[in-house]
Amino acid sequence: MSTAEETAGGETQPWSEVTPDAARRLLLAAVEAFAERGYHATTTRDIAGRAGMSPAALYIHYKTKEELLHRISRIGHEKALDILRTASRGEGTATERLADAVSSFVRWHARGRTTARVVQYELDSLGPDARAEIVGLRRQVDAEVRGIVEDGVRSGEFDVPDVPGTTLAVLSLCIDVARWFNVDGPRTPEEVGALYADLVLRMVGARNAGTA
C-alpha cells in the first residue's frame, strides 16, 4: 500500500494520512499500547508517554481514549475493505479473484500484525455509535468475500453448500494470522498468503486448486 510506513520491527502501518505529525505519533503509540496491554488496561498517560508527549498534549488531538481506538479501527477496516474490494472487482475467474483476495488479506494481517490485532479484536471496547459504524464496515468486508464465493458457485468453479458459513470461515482464517504471525518465524507474509490462498481454494472445492 502506497500510504504504508515500514517500522523498525518490519511491520507495515498505514498511518501517513493522519495529520499533523503529533496526532500520528499518538495514534502509533496507541496501537502499540492497545496491542500490548489491551484497551482497558491502557491509560492516556501510557499513550502520551510512548509518544514522548504530555497527557495534556493528547487531548489537543483526541478528546478521549475511545476516539483514538475508533479512528484506528475505522482506518484499519477501511484499508482491509479496500484490499478485498480491489481483489473482488478485479479481472479473472472467481478462483483467481478469491486466491488474490485471500493472499492479499493475509499479507496485510501478517505485515501489520500489531495494528490488525487492535483493529480485529478490540471491537467490543467501542461505544454503541462507534461500534455500529465498524460493524457496518465489517459487513461490507463480508459481502466482498461472499460475492466472490457466490460467483464461483454460479460459474461451477466452487462447490459450497453454505456460502455464509464458508465466508465466515475464510475471513476467520485470514484474521487469525494477526494473532500468531511472527516476523522472525519460518514463513514470510508472502509465503503465508500463498499457503492460505491454496487452503481456501481447497475449502471451496475449487476445480483447479493448487494452480491458481
Side-chain angles (χ1 to χ4, degrees):
M1 291 175 284
S2 61
T3 58
E5 176 190 8
E6 194 74 12
T7 66
E11 178 164 349
T12 300
Q13 301 229 36
W15 305 122
S16 63
E17 67 269 46
V18 179
T19 57
D21 180 67
R24 183 168 179 269
R25 284 164 50 202
L26 287 164
L27 205 71
L28 287 165
V31 168
E32 294 172 358
F34 293 157
E36 181 182 316
R37 306 187 58 175
Y39 174 79
H40 292 293
T42 299
T43 66
T44 54
R45 184 175 294 275
D46 293 331
I47 296 168
R50 287 172 183 259
M53 301 165 67
S54 69
L58 184 148
Y59 296 110
I60 295 174
H61 302 283
Y62 302 99
K63 295 178 182 178
T64 64
K65 183 176 70 168
E66 185 192 346
E67 184 180 336
L68 265 167
L69 177 61
H70 182 206
R71 191 166 190 194
I72 291 164
S73 190
R74 185 178 67 247
I75 292 174
H77 278 88
E78 288 171 347
K79 292 294 183 183
L81 178 59
D82 182 62
I83 288 168
L84 292 173
R85 185 170 283 161
T86 298
S88 70
R89 300 181 185 184
E91 298 180 356
T93 64
T95 298
E96 292 167 338
R97 288 184 288 123
L98 184 59
D100 186 27
V102 170
S103 61
S104 299
F105 203 41
V106 165
R107 291 196 304 271
W108 183 77
H109 281 84
R111 291 171 180 164
R113 57 206 173 278
T114 304
T115 298
R117 283 199 297 272
V118 176
V119 168
Q120 300 292 4
Y121 297 119
E122 288 287 1
L123 177 63
D124 290 339
S125 298
L126 292 169
D129 292 342
R131 189 179 190 280
E133 180 186 2
I134 301 307
V135 167
L137 288 169
R138 286 188 176 223
R139 286 175 179 155
Q140 292 181 63
V141 165
D142 180 276
E144 293 298 335
V145 176
R146 187 172 66 250
I148 303 174
V149 177
E150 289 171 343
D151 287 347
V153 172
R154 281 193 295 267
S155 67
E157 294 173 62
F158 302 158
D159 179 13
V160 181
D162 183 350
V163 171
T166 300
T167 300
L168 177 61
V170 170
L171 289 171
S172 298
L173 191 68
C174 296
I175 288 168
D176 193 57
V177 170
R179 182 186 58 80
W180 63 261
F181 185 80
N182 185 341
V183 68
D184 297 319
R187 296 180 189 269
T188 66
E190 291 72 22
E191 289 170 339
V192 178
L195 171 64
Y196 274 44
D198 181 65
L199 291 173
V200 167
L201 292 183
R202 295 177 191 279
M203 181 190 301
V204 299
R207 289 179 299 176
N208 57 344
T211 63

